């Protein structure tokens, strides 16, 4: 039976309904992860949970220790990662409250520790990252979203920007020309590190605001927080369906 781990992003710093059996403070060669790895039961299944930004939410996207987070989950026994991400909508279909299960990504970040294959190597290692997300895991999320009856897109290109600021109108226009459908700040190097550790990985993205220039309104944190509040129940029920199989 697959051991699933959930990485909670903004709005999901703790998994309500998780019956915690153990909280592990995992020591990694890359420093401390954002939070302890919680091990427990959710939807009747054993699951691991890690708050990407810490609990409380304190690590901005560019300062998350992605290497420690993924390493800690692997050490705790994870085999597959369900990553929850709050994103901005670029494509017209990606309105606030819409879900997307991306099939591709483009990395626009810089300066992040993005690989385990960096120091004291006996040989250079390259991973195949043509398709950054696990297709079987993507299909599990898609099936769960369909069963939930929520609005979702089964494909999309995730643009990962540096943050922590939101993007300019011109930057979003560039991302759109590049073929991106949604924009977030935490999709990389998380996905690549999971691949290096041979962990299945897929993203459940919740659109919490129109990207810059996609609405006449000013983007406010109040708007984003409301969208997170409204969408988290659907996120949790979708994850529960995946875990139940």
């Amino acid at each position: 039976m697959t051991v699933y781990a959930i990485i909670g992003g903004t709005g999901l710093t703790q998994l309500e309904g998780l019956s915690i059996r153990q909280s592990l403070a995992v020591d990694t060669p890359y420093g401390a992860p954002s939070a302890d790895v919680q091990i427990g039961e959710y939807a009747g299944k054993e699951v691991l949970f890690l708050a990407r930004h810490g609990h409380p939410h304190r690590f901005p996207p560019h300062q998350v220790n992605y290497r420690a987070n993924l390493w800690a989950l692997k050490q705790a026994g994870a085999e597959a990662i369900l990553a929850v991400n709050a994103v901005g909508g670029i494509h017209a279909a990606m309105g606030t409250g819409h879900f997307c299960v991306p099939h591709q990504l483009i990395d626009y970040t810089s300066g992040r520790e993005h690989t385990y294959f960096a120091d004291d190597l006996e040989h250079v290692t390259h991973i195949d990252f043509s398709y950054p997300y696990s297709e079987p895991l993507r299909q599990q999320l898609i099936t769960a979203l369909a069963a939930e009856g929520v609005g979702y897109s089964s494909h999309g290109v995730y643009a990962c920007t540096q943050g922590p600021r939101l993007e300019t109108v011109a930057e979003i226009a560039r991302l759109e020309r590049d073929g991106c459908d949604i924009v977030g700040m935490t999709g990389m190097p998380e996905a690549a590190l999971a691949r290096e550790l041979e962990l299945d990985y897929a993203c459940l993205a919740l659109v919490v605001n129109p990207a810059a220039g996609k609405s006449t309104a000013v983007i406010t944190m109040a708007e984003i927080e409301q969208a997170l509040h409204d969408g988290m129940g659907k996120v949790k029920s979708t994850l529960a369906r995946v875990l139940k199989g």
Side-chain angles (χ1 to χ4, degrees):
M1 183 180 296
T2 302
V3 178
Y4 290 95
I6 296 168
I7 298 179
T10 301
L12 192 61
T13 56
Q14 57 185 338
L15 189 59
E16 294 176 10
L18 173 65
S19 177
I20 302 171
R21 187 178 73 249
Q22 188 177 8
S23 189
L24 292 178
V26 182
D27 184 29
T28 85
Y30 307 97
S34 299
D36 289 353
V37 176
Q38 295 181 335
I39 304 174
E41 187 175 289
Y42 186 68
K45 301 292 183 181
E46 180 169 286
V47 68
L48 311 180
F49 179 79
L50 177 66
R52 182 186 290 118
H53 298 281
H55 180 60
H57 188 291
R58 59 196 177 101
F59 295 110
H62 66 295
Q63 291 184 340
V64 171
N65 191 338
Y66 296 96
R67 292 196 299 179
N69 285 355
L70 272 295
W71 189 273
L73 290 172
K74 175 83 170 183
Q75 288 298 106
E79 298 172 324
I81 306 291
L82 298 165
V84 179
N85 298 78
V87 299
I90 299 176
H91 190 282
M94 306 295 173
T96 299
H98 192 77
F99 285 90
C100 181
V101 184
H103 70 293
Q104 278 293 339
L105 61 80
I106 302 178
D107 187 7
Y108 297 92
T109 66
S110 62
R112 300 185 182 189
E113 296 288 355
H114 64 280
T115 181
Y116 295 110
F117 302 121
D119 303 308
D120 301 322
L121 301 178
E122 294 183 4
H123 57 84
V124 176
T125 302
H126 301 283
I127 59 165
D128 180 3
F129 203 52
S130 303
Y131 302 96
Y133 302 108
S134 163
E135 190 57 29
L137 203 53
R138 276 193 357 95
Q139 291 303 321
Q140 287 177 259
L141 283 169
I142 291 164
T143 299
L145 286 167
E148 283 296 304
V150 300
Y152 73 94
S153 295
S154 61
H155 291 78
V157 178
Y158 180 121
C160 189
T161 57
Q162 180 70 355
R165 66 170 178 83
L166 298 178
E167 300 75 30
T168 68
V169 171
E171 286 170 335
I172 292 300
R174 174 201 174 191
L175 299 184
E176 187 169 28
R177 290 193 298 271
D178 286 351
C180 299
D181 300 298
I182 54 177
V183 56
M185 301 174 189
T186 54
M188 283 291 284
E190 197 172 87
L193 293 168
R195 180 64 53 84
E196 289 186 352
L197 292 177
E198 299 182 342
L199 292 167
D200 287 337
Y201 180 96
C203 167
L204 176 61
L206 169 65
V207 179
V208 296
N209 63 277
K214 295 300 175 180
S215 169
T216 56
V218 175
I219 300 172
T220 67
M221 287 309 300
E223 172 194 14
I224 292 172
E225 288 167 3
Q226 185 61 52
L228 285 166
H229 179 269
D230 294 342
M232 276 304 124
K234 297 170 186 175
V235 167
K236 293 169 186 175
S237 57
T238 299
L239 293 173
R241 284 186 182 273
V242 173
L243 295 173
K244 289 176 181 176

